[in-house]
């Protein structure tokens, strides 16, 4: 009887040791800056005249008759606060970025021009923003 109890206790202890492995960095909650700089982002959807009666979906990834072609447009935010991108004309661009307003907005500076957008969603699979001055709403996904 005593051997049976010892065997059960040993099994419980072994199970406890197995389940208490080292913390996995993937389980750590990432900051918005880490999420933004984790991928190169490409457009999935792009709307103009957002929140108006004439809101238009002008680009949808995989759609054949888009009004604008953003298939080659991409942006990479680096952890050092810089970014590089390819614009819709295939031209390389670069600048700086920072999260502002308690990480609810993304501010970029490219060619001396500052641009700020409201972050709607930012997670590992989706970066959705509303560019209020340009009245654009867009969803980006990892490349």
């Amino acid at each position: 009887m005593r051997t049976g109890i010892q065997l059960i206790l040993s099994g419980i202890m072994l199970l406890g040791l197995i389940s208490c492995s080292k913390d996995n960095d993937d389980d750590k909650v990432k900051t918005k800056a880490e999420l933004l700089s984790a991928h190169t982002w490409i457009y999935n959807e792009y709307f103009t005249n957002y929140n108006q009666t004439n809101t238009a979906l002008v680009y949808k990834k995989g759609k054949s008759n888009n009004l604008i072609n953003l298939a080659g447009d991409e942006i990479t935010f680096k952890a050092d606060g810089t970014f590089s991108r390819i614009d819709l004309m295939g031209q390389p661009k670069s600048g700086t970025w920072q999260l502002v307003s308690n990480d609810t907005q993304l501010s970029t500076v490219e060619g001396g021009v500052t641009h700020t957008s409201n972050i709607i969603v930012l997670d590992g699979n989706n970066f959705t923003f509303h560019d209020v001055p340009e009245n654009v709403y867009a969803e980006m996904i990892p490349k």
Side-chain angles (χ1 to χ4, degrees), residues 32 100-101 103-107 115-121 127-133 136-138:
K32 285 191 177 182
V100 296
S101 299
D103 291 354
T104 62
Q105 294 182 314
L106 173 65
S107 179
H115 201 80
T116 303
S117 297
N118 295 332
I119 298 171
I120 308 301
V121 176
F127 169 39
T128 303
F129 63 90
H130 180 205
D131 180 338
V132 176
V136 165
Y137 183 92

Side-chain angles (χ1 to χ4, degrees), residues 2-143:
R2 185 171 185 185
T3 305
I5 292 173
Q6 287 175 328
L7 186 59
I8 291 171
L9 288 175
S10 295
I12 291 171
M13 288 176 58
L14 180 62
L15 184 61
L17 288 173
I18 292 170
S19 66
C20 291
S21 63
K22 285 186 176 182
D23 288 340
N24 186 345
D25 284 343
D26 293 341
D27 295 339
K28 179 181 90 162
V29 175
K30 292 185 178 181
T31 65
K32 285 191 177 182
E34 290 170 329
L35 290 167
L36 199 59
S37 61
H39 306 286
T40 294
W41 298 93
I42 60 172
Y43 284 104
N44 187 45
E45 293 182 330
Y46 191 93
F47 295 85
T48 59
N49 301 321
Y50 187 67
N51 276 343
Q52 295 181 359
T53 56
N54 59 340
T55 297
L57 175 62
V58 295
Y59 177 80
K60 172 70 177 158
K61 185 178 184 313
K63 187 177 170 187
S64 61
N65 58 344
N66 288 305
L67 295 177
I68 60 173
N69 183 6
L70 296 174
D73 204 313
E74 62 182 52
I75 188 164
T76 303
F77 297 96
K78 299 174 189 155
D80 68 359
T82 62
F83 71 85
S84 59
R85 70 181 188 97
I86 306 294
D87 70 9
L88 66 108
M89 301 302 289
Q91 298 300 310
K93 307 283 183 176
S94 62
T96 60
W97 69 274
Q98 64 178 337
L99 294 170
V100 296
S101 299
N102 221 17
D103 291 354
T104 62
Q105 294 182 314
L106 173 65
S107 179
T108 60
V109 179
E110 181 183 311
V113 177
T114 301
H115 201 80
T116 303
S117 297
N118 295 332
I119 298 171
I120 308 301
V121 176
L122 179 56
D123 59 33
N125 299 311
N126 188 333
F127 169 39
T128 303
F129 63 90
H130 180 205
D131 180 338
V132 176
E134 298 293 324
N135 209 17
V136 165
Y137 183 92
E139 176 186 285
M140 300 188 92
I141 57 175
K143 182 175 177 182

